[in-house]
Amino acid sequence: MHKAALEGWLSGAAGAPVEILSMARLSGGAIQQNWGVEATLGGAPQRWVLRTDNAATLAVSRGRAEEFALLRAAHAAGVTVAEPLFCCADADVAGAPFFVMRRVPGTASGHALAKAAAARGGNPALAAAHGRELARIHRIRPPREDLAFLGSNDFIAEMRARLDAAGTPRPALEWGLRFMERNAPPALPPVLLHRDFRSGNVMVEGDTITAVLDWEFSGWGDPYEDLGWFTARCWRFGQDGLEAGGIGSLADFLAGYAAEAGWAPDPARVRFWQLGATIRWAVIAADQALRHISGQERSLELALTGHMVPALEWEVLEMTDAGTP
């Protein structure tokens, strides 16, 4: 990134002189890059995060301008997110489109959060806080002019299309999708889905959520899809007994959701969508590996992600073997 060009653009967007003191790549962000920025705005110290594209991204990942719009909508709705500040669509400024948000304290390490929760036998308060936060997201409903770019989400059709596009036979995943198609409950009215709400994408300090991160997969759909994603085994980080993101019990998480949403989710329906989450993560993991194999972005992390797929396929077969997920 060219510091002078970035400072000039930020100064114009902020309406006051910006001086960048330092920039450092932050950990995480397998699909996008996040940079910690220490700066001054009109002489006042600032701590920001600049979010921009990696060399290769997933086709289903939204661009930075759309993600910025989602962040603004969530912030206005009272969701706990980092305050969105500036968005630049001009790739010439920093090499790719980007946006800037305020930096918040905390950790988003799913492994660390799950390990800490397991050490105390689960964290009911934090599990309930995640439920409340997700319910706030789901209060955002279509139609929304500011989110007009969001389309409807046909989960099964989307997964089949992505499997077809990849061209690699995945019969276990096709089996799981057919099971879902034959056993799907009636869909609820669409709400805003985060579609990656999980441990690892939520900043936490102590027992408090400080920001929900990574809105690049959002769309309209059945709220149970998000509930299933957060509670699926693949996002418990080895703490399988703590069904709510490796942090707490499913009951505590759903109680927090119900307290904020005003209705109580059905645990059986949540588990149906845990099957959908397992299928979707297998599809994403295979796509991530292709980014490495194609040579677009050589990465050990991406290559290793592809090795998760067989275990996920086996889990899909286990979840459908008895006729119920």
Side-chain angles (χ1 to χ4, degrees):
M1 297 184 188
H2 194 280
K3 179 183 174 184
L6 187 55
E7 285 179 332
W9 188 90
L10 287 169
S11 297
V18 170
E19 180 184 0
I20 296 174
L21 305 178
S22 66
M23 288 185 66
R25 180 85 179 265
L26 302 176
S27 61
I31 299 174
Q32 309 301 335
Q33 293 183 19
N34 296 304
W35 291 80
V37 180
E38 300 289 337
T40 60
L41 173 61
Q46 305 291 322
R47 299 185 78 240
W48 296 335
V49 172
L50 184 149
R51 184 164 166 83
T52 189
D53 293 340
N54 263 321
T57 59
L58 294 177
V60 295
S61 175
R62 298 197 176 280
R64 303 291 64 72
E66 291 183 352
E67 190 178 12
F68 185 75
L70 285 157
L71 200 61
R72 291 183 65 184
H75 187 263
V79 181
T80 306
V81 294
E83 182 185 1
L85 299 172
F86 320 113
C87 183
C88 178
D90 184 356
D92 292 336
V93 175
F98 66 90
F99 67 80
V100 175
M101 54 188 165
R102 203 170 300 283
R103 190 167 182 176
V104 299
T107 179
S109 170
H111 288 284
L113 291 168
K115 184 177 180 180
R120 53 197 283 192
N123 188 331
L126 188 56
H130 279 77
R132 292 192 297 273
E133 210 63 58
L134 189 55
R136 293 184 188 115
I137 296 171
H138 291 171
R139 283 205 296 257
I140 302 172
R141 298 172 181 268
R144 288 281 298 252
E145 186 175 347
D146 58 331
L147 303 178
F149 54 86
L150 293 179
S152 59
N153 173 38
D154 185 330
F155 178 85
I156 293 173
E158 178 192 344
M159 292 300 103
R160 283 180 171 153
R162 289 174 64 178
L163 287 171
D164 290 346
T168 301
R170 300 284 182 190
L173 303 185
E174 295 281 5
W175 167 268
L177 289 170
R178 181 58 176 153
F179 179 91
M180 291 188 71
E181 189 172 54
R182 297 183 65 174
N183 294 277
L188 295 184
V191 300
L192 180 65
L193 300 181
H194 183 280
R195 299 200 81 205
D196 203 11
F197 186 93
R198 60 174 177 83
S199 299
N201 278 341
V202 179
M203 290 284 286
V204 173
E205 186 174 45
D207 291 342
T208 302
I209 291 174
T210 56
V212 179
L213 309 175
D214 293 2
W215 293 76
E216 61 198 305
F217 297 121
S218 296
W220 303 122
D222 188 318
Y224 276 97
E225 183 179 338
D226 269 349
L227 291 164
W229 184 260
F230 180 73
T231 60
R233 183 181 298 171
C234 51
W235 298 122
R236 298 177 201 167
F237 296 94
Q239 308 301 333
D240 289 352
L242 299 176
E243 200 169 356
I247 291 171
S249 71
L250 179 65
D252 288 330
F253 170 65
L254 295 184
Y257 187 96
E260 189 73 27
W263 62 277
D266 176 3
R269 189 161 175 170
V270 172
R271 293 194 171 96
F272 175 86
W273 275 101
Q274 289 174 0
L275 170 61
T278 307
I279 295 170
R280 180 166 167 249
W281 176 225
V283 171
I284 293 172
D287 286 349
Q288 293 281 58
L290 283 175
R291 289 167 60 197
H292 170 78
I293 294 168
S294 69
Q296 287 182 294
E297 186 178 349
R298 291 295 187 185
S299 164
L300 179 61
E301 180 184 2
L302 296 178
L304 291 175
T305 300
H307 285 276
M308 298 178 182
V309 177
L312 293 166
E313 290 175 322
W314 183 256
E315 188 172 350
V316 168
L317 295 177
E318 288 184 325
M319 295 173 81
T320 57
D321 181 61
T324 55

